Amino acid sequence: MPSSSQVLVAANRGPLSYALDADGTLSARRGGGGLVSGLSAALARQPGALWICAALSDADREAVRRGVSEPGVRMLDIDPAVYDDAYNAIANSVLWFTHHHLYDVPREPVFDAEFHRAWTSYAAYNRAFAEALAEEAEQGARVLVQDYHLALVPGLLRELRPDLRIAHFTHTPWASYDYLRILPSYVREELVWGMLGADLVGFHTQEWADAFLASVTLDDAHGAAAAEGGDVTHERRAGWSRRTTAVRVFPLGVDGDELRALAHRPEVDGKLAGLRAEVAGRRTIVRVDRTELSKNILRGLLAYRELLATRPEWRGRVVHLASAYPSRQDLVVYRAYTQAVRDLAAEINAEFGTPDWQPVLVSVEDDFARSLAAYRLADVALVNPVRDGMNLVAKEIPVVSEAGCALVLSTGAGAYGELREDALTVNPYDVSETAVALHAALTMPEAERAERTKRLAAAATALPPAPWLEAQLQALP
């Protein structure tokens, strides 16, 4: 096979977005987030690299229509109705719930004609990416497909361009065998065979990789697949030759230098001064999450309330800084969850607060500078998801915390495997155990806390985004 240094990344969200001014002028804005920054930096070192993403806004779609583009980026103008079905009705409402085990099973899910119609849109959305990749890729190019939004792309692309070297990385967990069986059989089969179109399938943890390997046994008469070790040997009757897909683990870390630089910008210094004034010298328990159902914010608040109820010595001496910024507010269940977070925080403040002490300072605004300021101020970090692909917050706070922090970490976090030796670990469903862990974290001796923080930060920065990407490129056969 001819080799090529060209690298293509396919992801729902791109490294930039467009803004449309009142006079019709389009301007490009760089995307945020550690993964986007890391991938962008790594791609910048690859000759002919290209990032293919969806146009997410009216301004993005207008840019595509006008032929406006930035070097190394191609946006796809997918019909808004098709995109809404694929992204909201399937990716966020079905695949996310399945992989995170979030269904209220007596009531949901319901797979009916409307679901089937939406699944057709999901397939069309994935095909648009596969066709764009097939069109843009040089002979033998390496393609890195990102996340559950694009689970079908490897298989579709394999049919179009068998010469390409394809990797897929899933940033979420992968559903357990029993949970995956909730899905209609044709959906399970298309998901599994879509992923097996890749030469390399990557996950954050061995647990998620093992769950995927178990899922190949769910296949039906469309083909045969057998998992052995970290490889899946398979042959599909629709025309693929006998192939092997390697299943590997790449635990994404954080870029410590970049994160610390971001955390010490003047804007963050200003936010930190404001938080210090509000905290007034008290100890701090910090959490930073989207109001995402899997993040388990409500049980975290309940644990804090139990801490105050059972350990009255902490009343007036600790403040819970909870950044819980809204997520997926176009879905009713997420709007209700966000409001429940607000309501519970208000109840705790009403129950325990005094004229000069507010137990919970909750922010439901997407304020990255405030979050970084809270990181710097953290004495205790609370990260208690029920199920999470990685949870980079668990890695970020120890890197940034100025005085060192004790990490209370649930067994449901993907980061658990890497950080558990130096964290205080809890069952995410056990509110009382979490309250006890919060007390232990608050009373941890300063020297022990400093040593644990040092080791947590070292583990957190072991594989930052650019080397994480390079490791996958090197692992492609």
Side-chain angles (χ1 to χ4, degrees), residues 134-153:
E135 178 184 326
E136 297 285 354
E138 298 173 1
Q139 184 75 10
R142 293 167 291 175
V143 179
L144 302 176
V145 183
Q146 301 297 304
D147 227 356
Y148 63 102
H149 311 92
L150 301 176
L152 307 186
V153 166

Side-chain angles (χ1 to χ4, degrees), residues 233-261:
T233 302
H234 51 90
E235 183 174 4
R236 195 171 188 182
R237 298 193 178 103
W240 293 358
S241 59
R242 188 172 179 82
R243 299 180 56 257
T244 297
T245 296
V247 181
R248 299 289 184 266
V249 175
F250 303 93
L252 178 63
V254 300
D255 185 324
D257 292 339
E258 179 185 29
L259 185 61
R260 281 185 286 265

Side-chain angles (χ1 to χ4, degrees), residues 70-81:
E70 299 294 316
V73 180
R74 177 179 169 183
M75 280 188 175
L76 305 181
D77 183 11
I78 296 169
D79 180 272

